Amino acid sequence: MYRKPVVLFVLFLFMITISRFPDEIAPDLFMVEKTGGNVIKDLDLNLKSGEVVFSFLELSSGESTLIQNHKGQNILINTGSLSSKRQFRQQLSIFGVEKIDALIFTNVGKLYTGNLPWLLKHMKVKQIYLAEQSRDQFVQQFSVNDEQVLPLKQNDTFTVFNGLKIDVAYIEDRKEFHEGGLALVLKYKKHQFLYMGVASKEADEAVISQGIGDTELLKVGGFGHYFGTSEHLLNHIDSEIAVIFKKEGYNVSDDVSRRLQEHWTEILLPFKQGIVMVKCNDSEYKITTVPLIAPDLALQS
């Protein structure tokens, strides 16, 4: 007679109890101030000593990657295109960036340098790295201090903060194929990422000849152009993750997508999924994707 009311009462108490538990997937990683559009205002990465975060920015066109450590130092690779200026500036603000300790250009085209004039005007940029053959034109075009720009040659190695070492595996020397484009190997602790600023067979073969071996993350060159990301390269690096930026009016090659999928490489698209953040410590890395407007998180190992 009383069984049904008792069951309902117990269920009611149970629902009240679990509603008081904290949401298990609500991240401690981020501080989100909700507004009418649920737009992210700032991100607290809670970085500890020895931790570094690589953030592949959410841009509608162009490339830009921010690297930060627990000391508040900032490395920026490319600045995206001018058409993505609002997103670029918003994300630098979100990450609390007020200065750039090192700015690296893997190319000097508009999809990579589009927001440089604004950056130079509003922030202190300590050093700029780019290919030696692009240096003179770059200095003249952007009116930067000649001593501020450090030229890179193939096989150069330089170290930025926290022991993050960068090897120059390839520099494009053909004018018709984006002269000065770089392929970089980023090494931090036990982690190794390949940052391709070039999509060509020549670049792929040059990287392979370096014998870099297994690479956890590949930043795909040429916005997924079919000239790059060859079968031979993927066999050699055996990457777990591939990040592909967006070029306005251009879609990722079906051949590149197929090759990556056949190698069981997870494809991440910042322009669709949001900021792709890779947090590394001595032994492991974790991935978080954060869309700017609707910050639902997708944590992956």
Side-chain angles (χ1 to χ4, degrees), residues 64-112:
S64 187
T65 301
L66 177 65
I67 311 171
Q68 297 176 288
N69 68 1
H70 75 287
K71 295 180 180 179
Q73 294 174 296
N74 304 297
I75 307 299
L76 191 64
I77 304 179
N78 302 319
T79 68
S81 72
L82 187 58
S83 63
S84 298
K85 63 182 180 181
R86 184 174 181 180
Q87 292 171 301
F88 176 75
R89 298 174 190 180
Q90 177 190 13
Q91 286 167 83
L92 290 192
S93 176
I94 285 171
F95 285 105
V97 177
E98 297 179 349
K99 63 180 176 64
I100 303 296
D101 295 278
L103 175 57
I104 303 167
F105 285 106
T106 61
N107 300 80
V108 293
K110 294 180 180 179
L111 292 166
Y112 308 87

Side-chain angles (χ1 to χ4, degrees), residues 41-266:
K41 290 297 183 182
D42 57 83
L43 294 172
D44 185 350
L45 301 176
N46 292 323
L47 292 178
K48 300 175 183 177
S49 178
E51 292 182 332
V52 165
V53 170
F54 298 78
S55 298
F56 300 85
L57 303 188
E58 178 185 338
L59 302 177
S60 58
S61 187
E63 291 189 6
S64 187
T65 301
L66 177 65
I67 311 171
Q68 297 176 288
N69 68 1
H70 75 287
K71 295 180 180 179
Q73 294 174 296
N74 304 297
I75 307 299
L76 191 64
I77 304 179
N78 302 319
T79 68
S81 72
L82 187 58
S83 63
S84 298
K85 63 182 180 181
R86 184 174 181 180
Q87 292 171 301
F88 176 75
R89 298 174 190 180
Q90 177 190 13
Q91 286 167 83
L92 290 192
S93 176
I94 285 171
F95 285 105
V97 177
E98 297 179 349
K99 63 180 176 64
I100 303 296
D101 295 278
L103 175 57
I104 303 167
F105 285 106
T106 61
N107 300 80
V108 293
K110 294 180 180 179
L111 292 166
Y112 308 87
T113 62
N115 291 293
L116 177 59
W118 176 86
L119 196 69
L120 293 172
K121 182 178 179 180
H122 291 88
M123 292 190 189
K124 180 180 179 181
V125 178
K126 187 175 180 181
Q127 293 179 322
I128 300 174
Y129 295 86
L130 75 166
E132 182 181 43
Q133 48 265 67
S134 302
R135 185 177 187 271
D136 292 343
Q137 178 186 343
F138 179 89
V139 169
Q140 183 177 3
Q141 180 180 352
F142 294 103
S143 301
V144 294
N145 187 331
D146 191 65
E147 296 179 355
Q148 187 181 8
V149 182
L150 303 178
L152 297 173
K153 300 178 181 178
Q154 190 158 325
N155 299 320
D156 275 355
T157 295
F158 59 104
T159 300
V160 288
F161 64 60
N162 257 48
L164 174 61
K165 188 171 75 170
I166 301 178
D167 297 335
V168 182
Y170 177 78
I171 299 182
E172 180 58 69
D173 58 4
R174 298 170 297 173
K175 291 185 178 180
E176 67 272 23
F177 289 99
H178 303 289
E179 183 182 20
L182 302 177
L184 303 175
V185 180
L186 282 60
K187 299 177 180 179
Y188 179 71
K189 307 292 185 180
K190 62 172 288 186
H191 309 290
Q192 182 167 264
F193 300 162
L194 176 58
Y195 205 104
M196 296 294 292
V198 186
S200 70
K201 178 181 177 181
E202 288 76 10
D204 288 359
E205 293 302 317
V207 169
I208 292 169
S209 70
Q210 300 287 326
I212 66 171
D214 289 354
T215 300
E216 292 156 317
L217 183 146
L218 166 67
K219 200 291 295 178
V220 173
F223 306 96
H225 195 285
Y226 63 88
F227 280 169
T229 321
S230 64
E231 187 79 21
H232 192 193
L233 177 68
L234 294 177
N235 284 333
H236 183 77
I237 65 174
D238 194 26
S239 61
E240 300 166 359
I241 305 153
V243 176
I244 308 178
F245 284 104
K246 174 69 175 176
K247 177 181 178 180
E248 190 172 4
Y250 179 79
N251 294 321
V252 177
S253 164
D254 291 338
D255 290 340
V256 169
S257 295
R258 175 185 53 77
R259 289 197 287 267
L260 289 167
Q261 290 165 359
E262 289 177 350
H263 282 79
W264 298 95
T265 303
E266 183 172 4

